[in-house]
Amino acid sequence: MKCYTLLKKEYQIMRNIVKKLPEIKNSCADIFNLVKMNMHSNILVTAIKLKIFDHLTESVSAETVAEKLQFHAGNTELVLNVLAGMEIIQKKNGLFSNSGKSAEFLVSTMPEYLGSFFLHIHKWHEQFGSNLETLIKNGPPDKKDGDMADGSAWAESARLSAAYHYCGPTRYITKIISSFPEFSSMKKMLDLGGGTGIYTISILSAHPVMKGVVFEQPPVAAVTREFIRLYDAEDRISIIEGDYITDPIGDSYDLIFASATLNFFKDRFDDLFKKVYNALKPGGIFVTHQDGITDERTKPVYRLSDFLSAEMNGIDFLIPQGLIADSMMKSGFKSVRSITTQSDFGDMDIDIGRK
């Protein structure tokens, strides 16, 4: 009887023991923040669409902003509080105003306005996101995305990207190229797939006499002409229309430049770079500005996500780091120097080949 009583007590004690919680070894903060990121993105994009930043050029109350835009005052203030918490705008003594970055990039009347570009990128990622599950389950569609060959889509993309180029890579590209010892003696440059021509305009602005040629497909070339006129560069920049893989690109260039346009032809680099080599004068320089994928195709992650839509639709876009430099050397360039640049828009590789 005593033995039975002891066993009963031990069984009761075991039943009362609380099971231990899992031992946590890592922080989930990064994952949690990624999940929440879409909410922040939606708030920012909505504020851009509603042109809220246009009404924060001076310190104002939420009620004033809401009254001007005929919005709900309480909900307007709630959104402004979040934007201030995200450090996109400022709040002081109950009044809201633009920060330096929102004043420059998110006010629609500013020449550096990036709002339309941000909306374009957001819409593109949103559309891809809605189709992501299907692509993971079923793989690429039998028919490739028709937009890739749509000239009008590329023209609109070029126009929207102009401010991005101006606010981001154009400045450091111009700084690097203008630092070349050969720069002062250069007379003629070519920009392959130059879009709006912003890179050419910037590089020529650092040189007193050099002339420029922008090579583009016809629908985009119409946009190029708009920007050449806008920056009073008609006397120094001309345009060649066509496909730079199959069509003549001209000759006697001191400098040939290509930015974010080589992804379409990564399997034809040797032929293309030989063509570029032949179009350069002796001592001429070929500069490329492209993504360089590293770490077993896992870095830089923002480049991977940028191209994920194309890749999952069966288009091999990613350029491994070193591929361009290797192909330049095989095409006859006597030396190649490679640089990885860091900017507000992420890392990019610059490869500099000298003939």
Side-chain angles (χ1 to χ4, degrees):
M1 189 68 177
K2 185 182 286 187
C3 184
Y4 169 75
T5 303
L6 288 172
L7 286 172
K8 187 177 179 181
K9 285 182 179 179
E10 287 178 5
Y11 175 71
Q12 189 65 38
I13 291 170
M14 289 176 66
R15 287 189 62 191
N16 290 337
I17 292 174
V18 177
K19 188 176 180 181
K20 285 186 177 181
L21 293 170
E23 185 179 345
I24 305 302
K25 301 179 180 66
N26 300 288
S27 169
C28 67
D30 290 345
I31 300 172
F32 185 47
N33 287 334
L34 285 171
V35 173
K36 292 191 300 180
M37 195 178 293
N38 192 49
M39 176 61 78
H40 288 173
S41 174
N42 286 333
I43 292 168
L44 173 58
V45 163
T46 302
I48 293 172
K49 287 179 180 178
L50 297 176
K51 297 191 182 298
I52 286 176
F53 303 101
D54 288 9
H55 298 275
L56 299 174
T57 54
E58 57 184 11
S59 295
V60 292
S61 66
E63 290 79 5
T64 300
V65 175
E67 185 179 349
K68 287 181 178 179
L69 293 170
Q70 297 185 326
F71 294 164
H72 184 277
N75 284 352
T76 299
E77 182 165 13
L78 292 175
V79 167
L80 290 174
N81 281 336
V82 176
L83 291 170
M86 292 162 62
E87 298 184 358
I88 293 171
I89 64 173
Q90 302 172 132
K91 183 179 184 181
K92 187 175 182 179
N93 297 326
L95 301 179
F96 298 92
S97 63
N98 281 317
S99 64
K101 56 192 171 188
S102 62
E104 188 169 18
F105 301 128
L106 298 179
V107 175
S108 64
T109 55
M110 294 296 290
E112 304 90 348
Y113 177 63
L114 285 172
S116 298
F117 173 72
F118 290 151
L119 293 179
H120 173 69
I121 295 298
H122 179 78
K123 181 180 179 181
W124 182 54
H125 283 295
E126 202 172 46
Q127 289 172 342
F128 170 58
S130 65
N131 198 35
L132 182 58
E133 186 175 336
T134 301
L135 286 169
I136 292 173
K137 290 179 177 179
N138 302 331
D142 294 333
K143 184 179 179 181
K144 298 292 187 291
D145 188 353
D147 285 346
M148 298 304 294
D150 186 349
S152 61
W154 283 114
E156 181 61 16
S157 180
R159 183 180 283 105
L160 290 172
S161 297
Y164 152 71
H165 291 143
Y166 175 76
C167 297
T170 303
R171 290 172 292 172
Y172 66 74
I173 289 291
T174 300
K175 184 176 180 180
I176 289 171
I177 290 177
S178 62
S179 71
F180 294 162
E182 305 93 336
F183 184 70
S184 61
S185 61
M186 289 180 174
K187 294 180 172 60
K188 183 181 176 185
M189 71 164 284
L190 170 67
D191 188 349
L192 284 177
T196 58
I198 288 292
Y199 286 113
T200 303
I201 292 166
S202 178
I203 292 167
L204 295 188
S205 70
H207 195 290
V209 296
M210 183 163 61
K211 298 291 182 73
V213 178
V214 177
F215 195 110
E216 258 300 354
Q217 55 179 312
V220 180
V223 179
T224 312
R225 289 188 176 89
E226 292 177 20
F227 280 83
I228 289 174
R229 286 193 296 270
L230 179 64
Y231 286 92
D232 299 325
E234 296 99 325
D235 292 341
R236 294 184 63 183
I237 302 176
S238 58
I239 298 173
I240 299 177
E241 297 184 19
D243 180 337
Y244 62 68
I245 287 289
T246 57
D247 296 327
I249 62 173
D251 55 27
S252 301
Y253 296 110
D254 300 288
L255 170 69
I256 296 180
F257 175 69
S259 176
T261 184
L262 300 177
N263 303 82
F264 302 95
F265 310 110
K266 57 182 287 187
D267 59 338
R268 303 177 69 179
F269 278 175
D270 292 353
D271 293 338
L272 174 60
F273 293 174
K274 190 64 180 178
K275 188 175 187 176
V276 167
Y277 180 89
N278 291 333
L280 284 167
K281 290 180 181 178
I285 302 176
F286 180 32
V287 179
T288 66
H289 178 239
Q290 286 288 157
D291 48 292
I293 304 304
T294 64
D295 295 79
E296 300 184 58
R297 291 175 71 96
T298 65
K299 302 287 184 181
V301 67
Y302 37 79
R303 296 293 170 216
L304 298 176
S305 59
D306 284 346
F307 290 137
L308 188 58
S309 175
E311 294 271 317
M312 293 187 77
N313 277 285
I315 304 168
D316 185 10
F317 252 30
L318 299 174
I319 300 177
Q321 192 173 76
L323 182 64
I324 289 176
D326 289 346
S327 184
M328 281 186 182
M329 293 300 293
K330 282 195 289 183
S331 301
F333 287 88
K334 68 177 183 181
S335 67
V336 179
R337 181 164 66 100
S338 301
I339 306 168
T340 297
T341 61
Q342 297 178 333
S343 74
D344 293 345
F345 295 93
D347 294 355
M348 290 283 277
D349 283 357
I350 296 176
D351 291 289
I352 305 163
R354 283 180 163 80
K355 182 172 177 177

